[in-house]
Amino acid sequence: MNFFRGVMGGQAAGPQPSGAETIQKLCDRVASSTLLEDRRDAVRALKSLSKKYRLEVGTQAMDHLINILQTDRSDSEILGYALDTLYNIICNDEEEEQDENAQKHADDLGAQFTEAFIQDSEHITLLLTLLEEFDFHVRWPGVKLLTALLKNQGAQVQGIILVSPMGVSRLMDLLADSREVIRNDGLLLLQQLTKGNAAIQKIVAFENAFERLLDIITEEGSSDGGIVVEDCLLLLLNLLKNNSSNQNFFKEGSYIQRMKPWFEVGDDNSGWSAQKVTNLHLMLQLVRVMVSPVNPPGATASCQKSMFQCGLLQQLCTILMATGVPADILTETINTVSEVIRGSQINQDYFASVNAPSNPPRPAIVVLLMSMVNERQPFVLRCAVLYCFQCFLYKNQKGQGEIVATLLPSTIDANSISAGQLLCGGLFSADSLSNWCAAVALAHALQDNLTQKEQLLRVQLATSLGKPPVSLLQQCTNILSQGDKIIRRGSKVQTRVGLLMLLCTWINNCPIAVTHFLHNQENVPFLTAQISENLGEDERLVQGLCALLLGICIYYNDNSLENYTKEKLKQLIEKRIGKENFVEKLGFITKHELYSRAAQKPQPVFPSPEQMLFDHEFTKLVKELEGVITKAVHKSSEEEKKEEEVKKTLEQHDNIVTQYKELIREQDAQIQELKEQMASMSCQNEQMQTTITQQLSQIQQHKDQYNILKLKLGKENLSQSHSQGDGSHVNGLQTEELIQLRDELEELRNQHTLLQKQLSDKDSLISSLRSEAAQTCEGSSGGSDNTELLQELENLRSQVQAQSADISQLKTENQDLIRRAESPGAAPSTDSSSDTAKIAELEGRLAAQTSETEKLEEEVKGRREGRAELEQQLASATSTVAILKTEKAKLQTEVQESKKEQDDLLMLLADQDQKIHNLKQRLKDLGEMVEDEDDLDARDQTDEDEDEDEDEED
């Protein structure tokens, strides 16, 4: 124990060992000691020496410490000491070296030890396993050690954790730890883990990270929270930035709605803490990540819609118009609102309706533009306002029209400040930065909008008293030509570049504006003079823009001015400048060092006002026009004529294609309509089929009931006839007359039934003929066949009428017979009273049967009405009958052929028999014994009889 006292600071006799020797002895003790307490004390001593003797402990003790982690898992204290020691030798944060060389050496040392630790991937797996220990003394140093490893060798450690089973899930459990120290350090660990690795970012997001992080932010007080909120926001930024999958998951999980309470600010915004400013800044960055212009357009539009619907945009606009908000937060809020409304018509319309809380109220756009053209405002704020104005006008033709309308004479209100007035004021002010911002803002009001380019030509400006007003286009060219004569604050090149960008955007793809520009006789000479001069390095960009402006005048020239047609302008370039020199000057634009920086992203971000020269949208225009103008300058008049002819041909072709497209659209609409009709008719057909099936079943039921009634009536009539016959025999009545009457009555009934059947057959025949007549009328043969069918139909109608007359005649005869039956019953005989009663009873039954017959006739009439619905089935049955008849004819033909073959065979057999008979006769004639079949049969019979006799004798 004296050894440990010496290590831990106690007094010992003799010379003191060096640090390296002490560390060597401690490492030997860790490796060789069998007692856990001795090993624990040795590791504790190594921990105390690890900061001062970092190199020695790292080189000699790392393997022993890793072995401790593997073997002494049961003792949490020694595990904690080992993990702390490893952290001290790997981490670079604790170093307090003053000079840069020493700090660099310390960083290299940490990277070397980290590389040695992760050479075996099992060490990282072991560390992940130890993080599952709940003991604070094990878990906390394990989290710190893994964080240090990720800082030093992030990509390698990320790869090991990614392939480790449940590796990321184990780390996500740290956020649920009830001990805030472990949870907070777990946030730092996840920040390092998710840097630049999309696969791990996705896994962390799907481990419910968004829900947990937002809960922590809410618990810690949102924007008023401390450093923990900042760590959560940094982790959220890592998960969402440039990761479209996680962004979509964040939106679909309705987490955007949970961001709205972060931006609720009160009326008193004075005295914001530095931490609150940092938190709110990160929150705004998080919103911008979701709607960044570099995201897929569909995802950005969906997030913009969600932000408007949940009220987040409205909350941001409230911060925008609030007082007392720090400048950097206000600037970032303007940038955030810019990207939330960029390209979204609903959000742009809402932003146009926002008013500042002033007296009188002013639109937010006007208030922001006042800041942009005010040179006293911070440079970053003015850039943010310009970006906001550009985003408001991006793909917003309605907003472009509203801005240009504020410049037109009919809409100018002298009592209020409009956006157009502020832009004109900035365009012609003495501040070069205001000139550039106003020119770019006005150019965005004209971007891809031919109508507003033509409308802006109407704008007239009053320059001074007593002088006539000049157009805005003319005033821009006047300022451009005056150049150095006007005293300005800032870069003079910046003003000229801004005006040239405005003019290029204005006259691009607008022949009327080109004509107005060329109509001023001073413009073309000024441009050619600028291009042909050999100016300094700073003026090269101006020369390139002048060449671009002149090239646009050539390309979009409609040859309406005789002095400045396409051909004459090209001749002027060839004589004054030279085509090769012109193309070289045109290339100065894209070769400028600031051009590529502005082309990267829409937001204007510049380190200083002097470098604010290019606009993002203008770089797109240059890229589009440079090649086109170069070709236009080099083309001859003959080539242009050919191109014009080709263009006309293409236009004609496009017109033809357009006509065909319209025809195809009409046909598609008709097809769609017919499909809908077909679908409705199919539904009707199904309903009709169902109705037919139901009616067929009802008809079958009625037939069954009718047959049952007929059987009942027949039995009753038979029994009545028997009883009446017996009574007449007994009582000596007029039996023969009654029998005769009954027979005639039965015969009349039979005739009536037969006529009813014939009538139904005729009706069905009439229906079929009507359908055939209708089909024949629709066919091409129509005329004579239709007339014949109609004539046949009239004949059938006459037959039906004749049949009806027969029926009525039979009814009359029936009544006469009834009278005849009544007349004998009325003879003056006192003994026939019973017979009279029976006859009366018979008449009553006859009347009942007659009424029943009439009911049945009415029922038959009702069923006739349903026959029309069965026409399709009858038609199909008719076709089936035709098919069966065809098959029957085929079978009959085959039967006839079979009969013919059979007759042929019989003839052959008869011939064979005749030949056999002739041969037998010849043999007999020759003296041969030939037995006939009859003789053979007789012999066989005799043999059988003899055999039977022998059997009987036996």
Side-chain angles (χ1 to χ4, degrees):
M1 298 301 291
N2 290 331
F3 171 76
F4 289 110
R5 289 194 193 96
V7 171
M8 301 306 292
Q11 297 294 326
Q16 295 294 325
S18 65
E21 292 174 351
T22 305
I23 292 168
Q24 181 62 44
K25 290 178 182 179
L26 289 173
C27 291
D28 292 340
R29 182 59 59 90
V30 170
S32 61
S33 180
T34 57
L35 293 176
L36 178 62
E37 293 182 357
D38 291 345
R39 293 198 302 276
R40 185 189 305 133
D41 291 338
V43 174
R44 184 190 301 115
L46 286 172
K47 174 190 171 184
S48 63
L49 295 172
S50 59
K51 292 184 179 180
K52 185 176 181 181
Y53 299 100
R54 183 180 178 190
L55 177 63
E56 291 80 1
V57 173
T59 53
Q60 299 181 40
M62 180 176 285
D63 293 336
H64 300 296
L65 293 172
I66 293 172
N67 189 49
I68 289 292
L69 297 178
Q70 293 172 339
T71 56
D72 291 333
R73 295 281 299 276
S74 59
D75 187 72
S76 60
E77 190 174 358
I78 193 171
L79 288 177
Y81 293 149
L83 290 169
D84 282 332
T85 306
L86 288 170
Y87 172 73
N88 289 338
I89 63 177
I90 287 173
C91 180
N92 299 317
D93 294 343
E94 300 298 329
E95 298 291 338
E96 297 181 355
E97 302 291 342
Q98 297 298 323
D99 54 359
E100 294 181 1
N101 293 328
Q103 184 63 41
K104 184 177 180 181
H105 175 69
D107 293 343
D108 293 341
L109 200 61
Q112 291 173 6
F113 287 140
T114 301
E115 190 172 353
F117 184 85
I118 65 175
Q119 277 183 350
D120 188 357
S121 60
E122 291 298 324
H123 296 164
I124 300 295
T125 306
L126 173 64
L127 195 55
L128 291 172
T129 306
L130 291 175
L131 288 179
E132 293 182 345
E133 296 287 339
F134 187 73
D135 193 293
F136 180 82
H137 297 288
V138 176
R139 203 171 202 187
W140 187 41
V143 170
K144 293 193 295 181
L145 175 58
L146 189 56
T147 305
L149 291 170
L150 283 164
K151 285 181 179 179
N152 294 335
Q153 296 288 342
Q156 291 88 334
V157 179
Q158 284 174 341
I160 297 170
I161 293 174
L162 190 60
V163 299
S164 176
M166 300 294 291
V168 178
S169 299
R170 292 173 183 173
L171 299 180
M172 285 299 299
D173 292 338
L174 298 173
L175 297 182
D177 200 304
S178 58
R179 294 160 293 193
E180 289 190 2
V181 176
I182 295 178
R183 184 199 66 182
N184 298 343
D185 282 349
L187 288 170
L188 300 175
L189 170 60
L190 290 171
Q191 282 181 27
Q192 298 297 326
L193 180 66
T194 55
K195 277 184 179 178
N197 193 310
I200 292 179
Q201 290 169 1
K202 290 179 183 178
I203 297 172
V204 171
F206 282 97
E207 287 285 344
N208 205 23
F210 294 140
E211 185 75 30
R212 296 184 186 182
L213 292 172
L214 292 174
D215 288 342
I216 294 172
I217 291 172
T218 305
E219 291 170 5
E220 295 291 328
S222 297
S223 61
D224 294 323
I227 190 70
V228 178
V229 173
E230 181 182 348
D231 292 337
C232 290
L233 292 170
L234 289 171
L235 179 54
L236 283 172
L237 283 172
N238 282 354
L239 295 175
L240 292 173
K241 195 170 185 178
N242 299 324
N243 193 321
S244 57
S245 175
N246 283 1
Q247 289 173 6
N248 186 56
F249 182 63
F250 191 84
K251 180 185 71 68
E252 295 295 335
S254 300
Y255 296 120
I256 290 177
Q257 288 82 338
R258 296 185 61 177
M259 296 166 69
K260 180 189 173 184
W262 297 352
F263 304 103
E264 292 177 355
V265 295
D267 296 332
D268 184 14
N269 295 311
S270 59
W272 284 24
S273 65
Q275 187 61 56
K276 181 173 182 178
V277 171
T278 303
N279 291 344
L280 205 55
H281 198 274
L282 290 172
M283 290 171 177
L284 291 169
Q285 285 186 4
L286 196 60
V287 176
R288 292 185 65 184
V289 163
M290 297 298 295
V291 292
S292 174
V294 300
N295 293 344
T300 300
S302 180
C303 291
Q304 288 172 333
K305 183 178 179 182
S306 298
M307 290 177 182
F308 175 75
Q309 290 175 344
C310 72
L312 180 57
L313 174 60
Q314 293 84 329
Q315 203 66 46
L316 293 172
C317 290
T318 302
I319 297 176
L320 198 66
M321 295 292 107
T323 55
V325 178
D328 53 347
I329 293 297
L330 181 61
T331 303
E332 189 63 22
T333 304
I334 294 172
N335 288 326
T336 306
V337 171
S338 305
E339 293 182 351
V340 173
I341 67 174
R342 187 176 189 269
S344 174
Q345 188 66 53
I346 298 175
N347 294 2
Q348 288 167 341
D349 291 343
Y350 171 76
F351 183 70
S353 66
V354 175
N355 288 322
S358 60
N359 191 16
R362 287 176 179 169
I365 297 172
V366 173
V367 175
L368 292 175
L369 288 177
M370 291 171 70
S371 301
M372 186 185 75
V373 297
N374 186 355
E375 55 185 306
R376 297 177 184 175
Q377 294 293 338
F379 173 64
V380 289
L381 179 63
R382 299 174 74 180
C383 290
V385 173
L386 176 61
Y387 184 46
C388 184
F389 191 73
Q390 291 174 349
C391 291
F392 169 67
L393 297 177
Y394 182 71
K395 293 183 179 179
N396 182 10
Q397 293 194 352
K398 179 182 175 184
Q400 290 175 326
E402 291 173 353
I403 296 298
V404 173
T406 59
L407 288 164
L408 299 178
S410 59
T411 57
I412 292 177
D413 185 4
N415 298 322
S416 63
I417 301 174
S418 66
Q421 293 173 353
L422 290 171
L423 291 176
C424 283
L427 194 62
F428 306 126
S429 72
D431 178 30
S432 61
L433 184 60
S434 296
N435 300 154
W436 191 91
C437 291
V440 170
L442 198 55
H444 276 262
L446 306 175
Q447 194 78 36
D448 298 327
N449 196 327
L450 182 61
T451 304
Q452 302 311 323
K453 291 178 182 179
E454 294 175 357
Q455 287 291 321
L456 201 63
L457 295 172
R458 297 170 48 203
V459 176
Q460 300 290 321
L461 301 175
T463 55
S464 59
L465 293 173
K467 291 185 178 181
V470 296
S471 67
L472 177 61
L473 182 66
Q474 182 61 44
Q475 185 65 13
C476 290
T477 56
N478 291 341
I479 295 173
L480 192 62
S481 60
Q482 290 173 5
D484 299 336
K485 297 178 183 178
I486 301 175
I487 300 174
R488 297 184 184 281
R489 291 180 295 276
S491 172
K492 296 178 181 179
V493 173
Q494 193 175 43
T495 299
R496 299 173 72 187
V497 168
L499 289 170
L500 284 168
M501 287 196 299
L502 172 60
L503 291 172
C504 289
T505 306
W506 192 346
I507 70 173
N508 174 55
N509 198 20
C510 184
I512 299 176
V514 171
T515 304
H516 277 71
F517 180 79
L518 294 176
H519 195 269
N520 187 349
Q521 302 295 327
E522 299 176 358
N523 289 341
V524 174
F526 167 75
L527 293 177
T528 54
Q530 287 287 318
I531 299 168
S532 60
E533 287 182 6
N534 292 321
L535 301 175
E537 191 72 24
D538 295 337
E539 297 290 334
R540 282 190 169 188
L541 179 58
V542 176
Q543 285 185 315
L545 292 171
C546 288
L548 179 67
L549 185 60
L550 187 56
I552 294 172
C553 292
I554 294 172
Y555 188 72
Y556 291 106
N557 196 334
D558 58 359
N559 297 324
S560 58
L561 295 175
E562 294 183 2
N563 295 331
Y564 295 111
T565 60
K566 285 185 178 181
E567 192 62 31
K568 288 185 177 180
L569 286 175
K570 285 192 286 187
Q571 291 174 3
L572 185 64
I573 289 174
E574 191 171 0
K575 291 178 181 178
R576 299 279 181 87
I577 305 169
K579 290 184 178 180
E580 299 301 328
N581 191 23
F582 178 84
V583 174
E584 183 184 357
K585 296 292 177 66
L586 183 63
F588 286 166
I589 302 174
T590 54
K591 291 176 182 177
H592 198 278
E593 58 181 353
L594 298 177
Y595 175 85
S596 58
R597 185 185 299 177
Q600 290 176 359
K601 56 182 180 178
Q603 184 181 0
V605 179
F606 303 98
S608 64
E610 291 76 17
Q611 296 185 3
M612 199 171 186
L613 293 177
F614 284 107
D615 174 55
H616 176 75
E617 291 297 326
F618 183 74
T619 59
K620 293 182 181 179
L621 181 65
V622 172
K623 186 178 180 181
E624 177 186 344
L625 291 177
E626 186 178 11
V628 173
I629 290 173
T630 304
K631 290 180 182 179
V633 170
H634 284 292
K635 280 177 188 173
S636 62
S637 58
E638 294 180 357
E639 290 177 348
E640 286 189 354
K641 288 179 181 178
K642 289 181 180 179
E643 275 199 0
E644 288 179 0
E645 291 177 358
V646 171
K647 283 182 181 179
K648 289 180 180 178
T649 307
L650 290 174
E651 287 178 359
Q652 293 175 357
H653 181 266
D654 291 340
N655 292 332
I656 294 170
V657 171
T658 305
Q659 291 175 1
Y660 276 113
K661 283 182 179 178
E662 291 177 356
L663 179 62
I664 289 169
R665 287 193 195 97
E666 292 176 359
Q667 290 178 348
D668 287 340
Q670 292 176 358
I671 289 170
Q672 188 64 30
E673 185 178 354
L674 290 172
K675 283 182 179 179
E676 292 175 357
Q677 291 179 1
M678 184 177 176
S680 63
M681 291 179 71
S682 298
C683 294
Q684 291 178 3
N685 186 23
E686 291 177 359
Q687 294 175 359
M688 295 290 290
Q689 291 289 345
T690 306
T691 307
I692 287 170
T693 306
Q694 293 175 356
Q695 289 185 353
L696 284 173
S697 62
Q698 290 178 1
I699 289 169
Q700 189 61 39
Q701 290 176 2
H702 287 309
K703 284 182 178 179
D704 295 340
Q705 292 175 2
Y706 179 70
N707 291 330
I708 292 169
L709 287 173
K710 279 179 67 176
L711 289 173
K712 286 183 179 180
L713 288 172
K715 289 179 180 180
E716 289 177 359
N717 291 334
L718 185 61
S719 61
Q720 288 173 5
S721 62
H722 284 302
S723 62
Q724 288 175 0
D726 294 339
S728 62
H729 281 295
V730 172
N731 296 322
L733 297 174
Q734 300 170 353
T735 306
E736 294 179 356
E737 290 181 0
L738 287 173
I739 290 171
Q740 185 178 1
L741 182 60
R742 287 195 194 100
D743 292 338
E744 289 177 356
L745 183 59
E746 189 66 30
E747 185 178 356
L748 287 171
R749 284 178 181 169
N750 293 333
Q751 289 180 1
H752 184 265
T753 305
L754 181 63
L755 290 171
Q756 289 289 346
K757 186 176 179 182
Q758 290 178 357
L759 183 60
S760 62
D761 293 340
K762 296 296 183 181
D763 288 339
S764 62
L765 182 61
I766 289 168
S767 300
S768 63
L769 288 171
R770 281 178 178 171
S771 63
E772 290 176 3
Q775 294 174 1
T776 309
C777 288
E778 292 174 0
S780 60
S781 61
S784 60
D785 295 339
N786 189 18
T787 306
E788 292 176 1
L789 287 170
L790 290 173
Q791 188 175 359
E792 187 175 357
L793 183 62
E794 290 297 329
N795 294 334
L796 288 170
R797 284 179 179 171
S798 61
Q799 290 179 9
V800 170
Q801 290 177 358
Q803 294 289 344
S804 301
D806 292 340
I807 290 170
S808 60
Q809 185 178 358
L810 288 170
K811 286 183 179 179
T812 305
E813 291 177 1
N814 187 14
Q815 291 176 358
D816 293 336
L817 289 170
I818 290 170
R819 291 193 193 95
R820 287 174 59 193
E822 289 175 355
S823 59
S829 175
T830 57
D831 298 331
S832 62
S833 58
S834 60
D835 295 339
T836 305
K838 289 181 179 179
I839 291 170
E841 184 180 356
L842 180 62
E843 289 174 354
R845 290 181 179 178
L846 179 62
Q849 290 177 1
T850 305
S851 63
E852 184 67 26
T853 303
E854 290 175 355
K855 288 180 182 179
L856 291 172
E857 286 176 357
E858 291 176 357
E859 187 177 352
V860 168
K861 287 180 182 179
R863 290 174 185 171
R864 285 175 189 168
E865 294 176 356
R867 288 195 197 110
E869 298 174 0
L870 303 172
E871 288 178 359
Q872 293 180 351
Q873 292 185 356
L874 291 174
S876 61
T878 306
S879 62
T880 307
V881 169
I883 294 167
L884 291 173
K885 284 181 179 180
T886 306
E887 292 179 357
K888 181 180 177 183
K890 289 181 181 179
L891 291 172
Q892 287 178 349
T893 306
E894 291 177 359
V895 168
Q896 292 294 330
E897 291 177 356
S898 299
K899 284 183 179 181
K900 289 180 181 179
E901 291 177 359
Q902 188 175 4
D903 293 338
D904 294 338
L905 289 172
L906 290 173
M907 292 293 294
L908 288 172
L909 287 173
D911 293 338
Q912 291 291 333
D913 289 339
Q914 186 63 37
K915 288 179 181 179
I916 291 169
H917 180 72
N918 294 334
L919 290 172
K920 285 182 179 180
Q921 188 63 39
R922 288 178 64 187
L923 288 172
K924 286 181 181 180
D925 294 341
L926 292 171
E928 293 291 333
M929 291 294 294
V930 178
E931 293 182 352
D932 294 334
E933 290 181 359
D934 295 338
D935 297 337
L936 289 173
D937 292 339
R939 183 180 295 174
D940 292 338
Q941 185 66 33
T942 305
D943 293 338
E944 288 177 2
D945 294 340
E946 289 178 357
D947 292 337
E948 288 177 359
D949 293 338
E950 290 177 1
D951 292 338
E952 288 177 356
E953 289 176 359
D954 292 338

